[in-house]
Amino acid sequence: MIGKIIRKESKEIIRDDRFKISLFIVVSLLIVAIFVSSNQYKNTNIQYEEAKTKERANWDSQGEKTPHSAAHYGTYAFKPKYPLSLIDQGVDKYTGVSVFLEAHKRNEAEYSAAADQTGLSRFGELTPDFVLLYIFPLIIILISYNTFTKEKEGGTIALLKSQGIRNWKLTLGKWIASLLPVVVLATILFGIAGILLSNLSDYGEFSWISLFALYSVFIVYYMVFTSITLLISSLAKKSGIALVISLTVWFLGCFAAPKIASNLADLKYPYPTRQEFTENVEYEKKKGLDGHNPWSEEAKLLEKKVLKEYGVDSLHQLPFNFSAYRMQKGEEHQAEIYKKHYEILKEQFKNQKGIYQSIAVISPFLPVRFLSMSIANTNYQTHWDFADAAENYRIDTQLYLNDNHAKNSKYQDWGYKANSDTWKNLPAFEYSPPILSDVLNDNTSIIIMLLFWLGISSGALFLSTKNL
Amino acid sequence: MISNCLIQTKANEYILYMITTRNLTKKYGDFIAVNNLDLDVKEGEILCLLGANGAGKSTTINLLLNFITPTSGEALINGIDVTKDPIKTKSFLTYIPENLMLYPTLSAVENLDYFTGISGKKISKSQLETYLLEAGLQKEALHKRIHSFSKGMRQKVGIALAIAKDTKVLLLDEPTSGLDPKSSNEFSELLKEMSNKGVAILMATHDLFRAKSIGSHIGIMKDGVLKNNFKTQDISIQGLEELYLQTMNYNEVAL
């Protein structure tokens, strides 16, 4: 019986000119979106591979020099474009893709894609996530806003009710039929993306399971939108009213709610300005040990402590180069300060995320947006994770270089130069984004929120159609 | 419940009333739409309910369809209370409203397939075509989309639905109003055929002549009350007209 309803509703949808026009527009958009994203993905990763190889070659071919010169020469940590960014670019465009790693300083990621584009890019790009998040719900509205109102307006409701069909079966049949076109389109999109990505696996670990998880999130999103649209249709008396209300819900949920969330989060937990942040870091750095300054009070205290620890009277008697040792201690002090201030930023980020999550109650768009970016590894969390990995690599590099300097020379031995093997022996920077299970664990509350939306919307729909 | 609807014949057989109401009342606040209505329609009978607008004819049909719930009393289809098992009672009946609306983008066969399907019948496409032809629809109209159908053609799809469902009860709410005389006559003939096959029919109508020509019984309602209920054979058309007018003028006439 439900199958009969699905077939009949689908026939009506397919024969409707609105659907044919919508389908043409959406398929065209999808083709363009996949083409653009796929090219962007390939080009970015080619550039990433080239830059990584070139930069490492530069590091390896430094020749003989003091390790601290090499520390100032610096190197780069590059962030790859992860496979699922083909579908959801998330914040990748606005976060930098490389971090310059040098002595004494933690740098921000730079060279964001947005910075390479014209101001018009502020209007947004045609990407698969745009189509999935904004256009598909619109398609659901366009094909199903009158699912129930047309029965009332067309007078078929009387004949329908007189057949003795249970309302929940009728509702379920209509619900599946309304959802089906978008599910088919999404399946095609994800299928194409999967085939493309599995053939481009050189650029990252592509996982069909992650792709399926992303697909599932979007399907739940469409289920919620279908339930809401049908709920409105069941409550409205006229199709025109149902359409206006559904479009209003779409606009508020997809456009207004994220902006409200963003404004509230910024208002309640603002980030410090870049100037404030730099001033605070510099102020605290000055209060501690500077590896380059042997005359500071902190340097003298360190000197005394080390002499006492090794039971010697002079720095010359130490079994290592105290200058390099002091450099390392200064590095550790600065790293601590950076860590402290970045932790403050991360805490603000967590607080802002909390605001976003609580506002997700007002729109199903928000949990889907978060989950999609998280699974695609294109959210801020992953960027923080990458930036932390780069910082840890920087700290390890400084330790490696200072250690080499300290062990291979004596105090005030300015002539020591490390050979090229020293640079080659430094392990390359490697970063793997969080795995799917960790991402899902980290987003449990958001998953619950999305399922809550599904429960509430479908529950309300079946309740409202109980007495058609 | 079923015992209320059984009648004993002279041959000591029991006949079940297919449509029964007992003290059926529907109130909207102080307004009484149907007042203590007692009706019985047996298999093969056609009861035509006459009355002015607001007399309670459509409300009675809506109560039998369980579209609205009675304030008091009972409405039974095939001996089953429509409020207690609406799904079951609807499996016995077909309802044809004044203006039978179907899905405009579907053909006659597709509409019939859908409505029979959701009422739990599995019928082949060729059989559906046969039913539509039996209901008087032209062969070339079978696969045409409904949006090009006249009211008369749509009503025939309704009759085809009743045939396909092997319906026991037909509830009709002014089905011939707005139909041209030819279509009305064709429709009346179809109803007689259904009646001859044992279908119990309750038809609300304003058309005295139609009621006289096809009804086995006629009831006249006024202000929610069944004022008269008699066999059609017991009255002439002139007599019916006079009785109807008298009833509408508050002069009850006992036959």
Side-chain angles (χ1 to χ4, degrees):
Chain A
M1 191 184 288
I2 292 170
K4 192 70 102 183
I5 298 164
I6 296 168
R7 275 196 295 280
K8 172 256 170 188
E9 292 288 330
S10 300
K11 256 185 213 169
E12 281 194 300
I13 289 169
I14 291 164
R15 288 174 187 178
D16 191 335
D17 287 341
R18 281 171 309 170
F19 176 71
K20 288 173 194 162
I21 295 165
S22 309
L23 186 71
F24 173 75
I25 293 169
V26 169
V27 169
S28 307
L29 288 176
L30 272 179
I31 291 168
V32 174
I34 292 174
F35 179 75
V36 168
S37 289
S38 164
N39 271 349
Q40 206 173 32
Y41 175 75
K42 275 190 267 185
N43 290 338
T44 308
N45 275 312
I46 288 168
Q47 286 169 13
Y48 163 78
E49 285 295 330
E50 279 177 2
K52 203 167 90 168
T53 312
K54 198 173 162 188
E55 193 50 40
R56 183 68 201 190
N58 284 345
W59 172 261
D60 289 348
S61 62
Q62 283 183 92
E64 289 190 350
K65 59 165 71 166
T66 59
H68 197 65
S69 294
H72 276 289
Y73 179 76
T75 184
Y76 279 91
F78 294 99
K79 188 164 90 169
K81 220 164 162 53
Y82 305 115
L84 292 184
S85 67
L86 180 79
I87 291 169
D88 192 344
Q89 291 200 27
V91 296
D92 261 9
K93 194 178 154 187
Y94 304 98
T95 57
V97 292
S98 66
V99 182
F100 180 53
L101 308 173
E102 61 177 328
H104 316 307
K105 199 175 174 190
R106 175 172 179 168
N107 292 307
E108 291 282 321
E110 51 191 355
Y111 304 116
S112 66
D116 292 340
Q117 292 174 333
T118 66
L120 289 174
S121 68
R122 281 288 297 144
F123 295 121
E125 284 178 343
L126 183 59
T127 52
D129 65 298
F130 174 77
V131 178
L132 289 166
L133 280 162
Y134 297 93
I135 306 297
F136 276 18
L138 194 59
I139 297 295
I140 291 172
I141 291 172
L142 288 178
I143 60 179
S144 56
Y145 72 91
N146 63 349
T147 299
F148 287 103
T149 49
K150 73 182 173 195
E151 302 275 9
K152 296 175 207 166
E153 289 170 330
T156 45
I157 192 82
L159 193 58
L160 196 62
K161 280 163 69 180
S162 69
Q163 301 313 313
I165 183 169
R166 291 187 191 279
N167 286 352
W168 72 263
K169 285 186 180 175
L170 179 69
T171 306
L172 184 62
K174 283 178 176 286
W175 185 83
I176 293 171
S178 301
L179 182 67
L180 211 53
V182 167
V183 169
V184 170
L185 284 172
T187 307
I188 293 169
L189 170 74
F190 276 85
I192 292 171
I195 293 163
L196 275 174
L197 290 169
S198 56
N199 288 315
L200 294 171
S201 55
D202 288 350
Y203 298 126
E205 287 290 315
F206 167 65
S207 150
W208 279 99
I209 296 172
S210 293
L211 185 77
F212 183 73
L214 194 58
Y215 170 77
S216 306
V217 167
F218 279 103
I219 296 301
V220 174
Y221 179 49
Y222 303 141
M223 286 176 173
V224 172
F225 250 98
T226 305
S227 298
I228 293 172
T229 309
L230 261 57
L231 172 67
I232 293 166
S233 185
S234 73
L235 296 172
K237 287 198 170 97
K238 292 190 171 163
S239 295
I241 293 169
L243 179 63
V244 169
I245 296 172
S246 299
L247 288 175
T248 307
V249 168
W250 172 74
F251 175 78
L252 292 176
C254 297
F255 291 95
K259 299 214 182 286
I260 292 167
S262 181
N263 288 349
L264 272 177
D266 272 343
L267 201 69
K268 199 160 182 201
Y269 299 106
Y271 280 124
T273 62
R274 186 172 289 273
Q275 191 186 1
E276 281 169 353
F277 180 79
T278 311
E279 277 175 5
N280 291 340
V281 169
E282 287 306 319
Y283 174 73
E284 288 205 33
K285 270 165 84 172
K286 277 179 192 164
K287 285 203 296 187
L289 179 67
D290 175 1
H292 277 296
N293 183 3
W295 314 111
S296 69
E297 198 181 320
E298 293 78 15
K300 289 293 171 195
L301 280 172
L302 178 70
E303 204 176 296
K304 274 185 196 167
K305 188 185 156 209
V306 172
L307 289 174
K308 193 180 170 188
E309 194 179 321
Y310 282 85
V312 291
D313 302 325
S314 158
L315 295 174
H316 291 279
Q317 293 171 322
L318 289 169
F320 53 84
N321 187 338
F322 180 74
S323 297
Y325 179 82
R326 187 182 58 234
M327 207 65 79
Q328 177 56 28
K329 288 295 162 192
E331 204 65 62
E332 287 170 11
H333 161 67
Q334 287 159 346
E336 273 304 310
I337 290 165
Y338 277 114
K339 191 180 173 192
K340 177 185 157 190
H341 284 273
Y342 272 92
E343 284 303 324
I344 294 169
L345 287 187
K346 277 196 265 182
E347 195 56 37
Q348 287 297 80
F349 166 70
K350 269 186 197 165
N351 290 333
Q352 288 201 351
K353 197 178 161 191
I355 295 264
Y356 277 115
Q357 283 177 1
S358 46
I359 289 177
V361 175
I362 65 166
S363 167
F365 174 90
L366 290 168
V368 173
R369 175 86 267 191
F370 291 133
L371 281 172
S372 169
M373 290 196 300
S374 302
I375 295 169
N377 293 128
T378 56
N379 61 347
Y380 265 116
Q381 190 69 52
T382 308
H383 183 70
W384 278 116
D385 199 42
F386 160 75
D388 283 349
E391 173 63 1
N392 289 336
Y393 180 74
R394 186 186 77 84
I395 292 167
D396 290 345
T397 303
Q398 299 313 310
L399 176 63
Y400 172 79
L401 295 171
N402 286 326
D403 206 34
N404 178 287
H405 198 167
K407 283 178 181 163
N408 295 302
S409 62
K410 292 282 182 183
Y411 184 56
Q412 288 185 335
D413 173 8
W414 303 115
Y416 169 69
K417 284 180 180 172
N419 62 26
S420 58
D421 283 347
T422 310
W423 325 128
K424 285 175 189 161
N425 290 337
L426 177 73
F429 172 70
E430 294 291 345
Y431 171 69
S432 295
I435 56 168
L436 180 65
S437 56
D438 290 345
V439 168
L440 296 179
N441 281 336
D442 203 35
N443 286 286
T444 310
S445 62
I446 295 177
I447 294 169
I448 291 169
M449 185 62 74
L450 184 59
L451 294 176
F452 166 79
W453 263 104
L454 179 62
I456 287 289
S457 57
S458 54
L461 168 65
F462 282 91
L463 211 62
S464 78
T465 55
K466 217 173 166 184
N467 296 306
L468 271 175
Chain B
M1 222 40 75
I2 288 175
S3 61
N4 292 341
C5 320
L6 288 174
I7 51 169
Q8 196 171 11
T9 64
K10 285 174 185 169
N12 279 340
E13 287 173 344
Y14 283 92
I15 296 175
L16 182 68
Y17 285 122
M18 295 308 295
I19 304 169
T20 307
T21 67
R22 290 284 177 269
N23 303 319
L24 189 65
T25 302
K26 180 65 187 175
K27 290 181 185 171
Y28 295 101
D30 292 335
F31 176 72
I32 305 172
V34 173
N35 194 358
N36 278 318
L37 182 69
D38 288 337
L39 275 182
D40 294 301
V41 185
K42 283 188 289 185
E43 286 181 344
E45 282 184 353
I46 302 178
L47 171 62
C48 294
L49 277 183
L50 293 169
N53 287 335
K57 308 184 298 289
S58 297
T59 307
T60 304
I61 290 176
N62 285 334
L63 285 163
L64 286 163
L65 286 162
N66 195 42
F67 285 179
I68 50 176
T69 47
T71 308
S72 61
E74 290 172 332
L76 307 148
I77 297 288
N78 201 13
I80 303 166
D81 191 326
V82 298
T83 59
K84 290 189 178 140
D85 196 349
I87 304 291
K88 181 84 177 164
T89 56
K90 281 172 185 170
S91 70
F92 298 118
L93 65 83
T94 296
Y95 167 58
I96 300 179
E98 180 180 355
N99 204 356
L100 182 72
M101 298 310 289
L102 300 161
Y103 297 103
T105 56
L106 303 185
S107 69
V109 173
E110 286 169 336
N111 266 287
L112 190 58
D113 179 43
Y114 177 60
F115 285 111
T116 51
I118 60 169
S119 58
K121 302 270 179 192
K122 282 183 184 169
I123 303 169
S124 69
K125 199 177 157 191
S126 60
Q127 194 60 49
L128 290 171
E129 288 173 350
T130 309
Y131 292 140
L132 284 163
L133 292 171
E134 208 177 307
L137 208 64
Q138 298 296 308
K139 197 174 180 184
E140 54 271 22
L142 298 183
H143 296 283
K144 273 190 182 168
R145 294 192 187 172
I146 291 291
H147 60 72
S148 62
F149 275 34
S150 65
K151 181 181 170 180
M153 290 164 85
R154 292 201 307 273
Q155 301 293 62
K156 285 174 184 172
V157 177
I159 293 294
L161 176 62
I163 300 168
K165 279 177 75 177
D166 191 20
T167 202
K168 303 278 183 269
V169 172
L170 197 51
L171 300 175
L172 306 146
D173 195 356
E174 299 179 26
T176 54
S177 86
L179 285 184
D180 60 71
K182 183 175 173 282
S183 301
S184 287
N185 286 337
E186 283 174 3
F187 191 77
S188 299
E189 288 308 311
L190 286 169
L191 293 185
K192 281 180 189 168
E193 281 176 34
M194 300 283 291
S195 158
N196 291 337
K197 287 177 186 168
V199 177
I201 300 172
L202 174 67
M203 181 168 88
T205 181
H206 291 291
D207 189 340
L208 272 61
F209 299 97
R210 188 75 49 202
K212 169 69 182 150
S213 69
I214 64 168
S216 59
H217 293 73
I218 292 175
I220 302 176
M221 286 188 80
K222 185 173 184 293
D223 298 334
V225 178
L226 185 66
K227 297 282 185 184
N228 304 100
N229 190 1
F230 47 85
K231 285 185 178 173
T232 313
Q233 65 191 38
D234 294 343
I235 196 166
S236 65
I237 185 67
Q238 290 85 358
L240 175 62
E241 198 172 5
E242 279 172 23
L243 178 65
Y244 181 78
L245 291 171
Q246 281 172 6
T247 308
M248 291 302 112
N249 287 322
Y250 308 98
N251 297 321
E252 287 191 32
V253 177
L255 277 171

